Amino acid sequence: MRVLRSSAVAAIAVAAALTTVSGCAEKSDKKDSDAILVKATDDKCEVSKTSFPAGHIKINVENKGSKVTEVYVYGSGDRIVAERENIGPGTKAEIVATIKKAGAYEIACKPGMKGDGIRQKVTVTGDGKQEKSDPALDKAVAEYRKYVQQQADETIPAAQKFADAVKAGDVDEAKKQYAVSRIGWERTEPVAESFGDIDPKVDVREDGLEKDQKWTGWHKLEKSLWEDKQITEDDKKLAEQLMTDLKGWQKVVGTAEITPTSMANGAKELLDEVATGKVTGEEERYSHTDLIDFQGNVEGAEKAYELLKPVASKNDSGLTKDLDKQFGELKKLLDDYRDGDTFKAYDSVGKDDRKKLSDAVNALAEPLSKLAGAVAK
């Protein structure tokens, strides 16, 4: 979910033409002198190069403004092909990436992390370096593609039960079905977010709305159910719209450009989702079903990791041993908060326990940020 966040995130979306490799900047063969420099201020987005060849690139970002900013790379159709969020005033960030396809792109800075951003058109030339295909990685991508499609397919009937309950005016049944309807989305959120128009329709929170944007989707209905404790005629229409939007997502999710490194970065992004939304309690602020989302994010991250593990372990066995350990410890800790076949309401989880969960997420996020580098060796 794309909202104004309170902690740093390096979220890299699965995208059509570009794969960002995080956690491996030290391995880049690009010299700093070859880097694309982006100077972001509150009213400017200065880019040092507006044309560069396809292949490995490095983007060095410096925020010289007074607001937290984001930097995006957009491809055709305004698809998000790379991003870096929460770049604080006076700080720097780096994106190491591979652009394989020539064409027109845009680099955008978003002061305050809202709106369309201040955009600069850039041109990528040439065909990029053609890398030898790795059968093991090809298999991982194929299996992951099946996984994300399966999650979308399974979300539709689960979401339909939720929508039907809303349309019937049954508050109790809608509450029962709410969190269940979101699990598939939470497991594959980075892929969903790569289609930039879907996430704002179905998963935006009230504080993430753009100017003049109508609030639709799960969280608007969540507020009605738990805070307002009633279902309006408008809510019934929103439930129908939610299903239309989710079915649209189901149809396109299989068309996402998925690569080994985008899988790795997507896994890291899922952990970022946990750190910035679930652990803080911001995501499900009315229903307090954050731990169910938490589990979905972790399961999705682990699935991507397990598919990439055969190759990553050959390139960096120490990293995969650490990841195995940290995934195991986080899942074990999460189990402590189970309540039958679900989880405790998050507002019943105390400050000390939230700190434990946060520490476990951070302990996993650090090595997970190196997975893309291990895969790309």
Side-chain angles (χ1 to χ4, degrees):
M1 161 176 333
R2 302 188 184 283
V3 296
L4 186 62
R5 292 173 179 167
S6 57
S7 57
V9 178
I12 307 301
V14 179
L18 180 152
T19 300
T20 301
V21 183
S22 63
C24 60
E26 69 277 5
K27 299 179 179 66
S28 171
D29 57 3
K30 296 294 289 182
K31 298 178 181 179
D32 284 341
S33 60
D34 295 327
I36 300 164
L37 308 179
V38 176
K39 184 187 295 183
T41 67
D42 293 344
D43 56 8
K44 293 182 181 179
C45 186
E46 299 178 0
V47 178
S48 65
K49 299 178 183 180
T50 57
S51 180
F52 44 88
H56 296 296
I57 66 167
K58 181 191 289 185
I59 301 174
N60 288 339
V61 182
E62 183 176 8
N63 183 5
K64 298 182 74 68
S66 63
K67 301 176 182 178
V68 177
T69 195
E70 299 172 332
V71 172
Y72 287 75
V73 179
Y74 289 107
S76 61
D78 237 17
R79 285 196 178 190
I80 300 169
V81 295
E83 65 173 306
R84 184 67 182 263
E85 298 180 353
N86 286 277
I87 305 172
T91 65
K92 299 179 179 180
E94 180 181 274
I95 303 171
V96 179
T98 301
I99 299 180
K100 295 182 178 181
K101 295 182 180 180
Y105 293 79
E106 288 184 322
I107 294 177
C109 304
K110 292 190 179 182
M113 302 200 297
K114 285 194 175 185
D116 293 332
I118 305 164
R119 301 194 180 199
Q120 297 290 343
K121 294 182 179 181
V122 296
T123 301
V124 176
T125 61
D127 297 325
K129 183 180 178 181
Q130 298 299 318
E131 299 180 1
K132 184 178 179 181
S133 178
D134 183 330
L137 290 177
D138 290 344
K139 179 181 178 181
V141 169
E143 290 300 315
Y144 188 67
R145 188 179 298 281
K146 290 179 184 177
Y147 174 74
V148 297
Q149 185 65 62
Q150 178 185 20
Q151 294 306 309
D153 292 345
E154 292 178 357
T155 294
I156 299 305
Q160 190 66 64
K161 289 181 180 179
F162 170 65
D164 287 346
V166 172
K167 289 188 288 184
D170 190 336
V171 172
D172 290 339
E173 182 64 17
K175 285 183 175 182
K176 180 180 176 181
Q177 299 299 333
Y178 170 76
V180 178
S181 74
R182 292 174 48 77
I183 293 174
W185 174 273
E186 292 293 340
R187 287 171 177 158
T188 59
E189 197 164 357
V191 180
E193 288 183 343
S194 70
F195 301 99
D197 61 337
I198 296 176
D199 181 82
K201 292 179 181 178
V202 305
D203 200 32
V204 70
R205 299 199 305 257
E206 189 171 16
D207 55 344
L209 294 171
E210 302 288 352
K211 184 179 179 181
D212 299 325
Q213 178 186 349
K214 182 181 179 181
W215 192 14
T216 60
W218 271 302
H219 294 300
K220 173 62 175 72
L221 295 170
E222 176 201 6
K223 183 179 182 182
S224 294
L225 293 171
W226 273 272
E227 184 170 276
D228 302 336
K229 298 180 175 60
Q230 63 178 344
I231 295 171
T232 66
E233 289 302 312
D234 187 52
D235 290 331
K236 294 177 182 180
K237 294 177 182 178
L238 289 178
E240 188 63 36
Q241 184 61 49
L242 174 65
M243 290 309 305
T244 298
D245 293 334
L246 288 175
K247 287 175 182 177
W249 161 60
Q250 179 194 25
K251 290 179 180 178
V252 301
V253 70
T255 69
E257 181 73 14
I258 298 173
T259 66
T261 48
S262 68
M263 286 171 59
N265 285 310
K268 173 59 168 59
E269 185 180 347
L270 284 168
L271 262 291
D272 292 335
E273 287 285 339
V274 173
T276 60
K278 283 68 175 182
V279 169
T280 62
E282 295 176 40
E283 179 83 1
E284 307 291 357
R285 60 189 64 175
Y286 309 110
S287 65
H288 305 298
T289 55
D290 303 87
L291 289 174
I292 299 175
D293 288 1
F294 190 134
Q295 181 189 33
N297 288 156
V298 173
E299 288 174 344
E302 187 173 33
K303 180 64 175 183
Y305 164 60
E306 289 293 342
L307 290 172
L308 295 170
K309 182 178 174 180
V311 172
S313 62
K314 291 180 181 179
N315 295 334
D316 192 340
S317 60
L319 175 65
T320 54
K321 287 180 181 178
D322 192 12
L323 284 169
D324 287 342
K325 176 184 176 183
Q326 298 301 337
F327 265 115
E329 291 184 358
L330 179 57
K331 290 191 297 180
K332 182 178 180 181
L333 180 60
L334 189 56
D335 283 343
D336 291 342
Y337 302 95
R338 290 189 180 275
D339 183 11
D341 59 357
T342 186
F343 287 90
K344 296 178 180 178
Y346 200 58
D347 58 345
S348 70
V349 178
K351 182 177 180 181
D352 290 344
D353 285 335
R354 293 190 184 199
K355 178 65 164 55
K356 290 178 183 177
L357 287 166
S358 178
D359 289 346
V361 169
N362 291 334
L364 173 57
E366 193 280 325
L368 195 59
S369 70
K370 300 176 182 177
L371 179 60
V375 169
K377 283 184 178 179

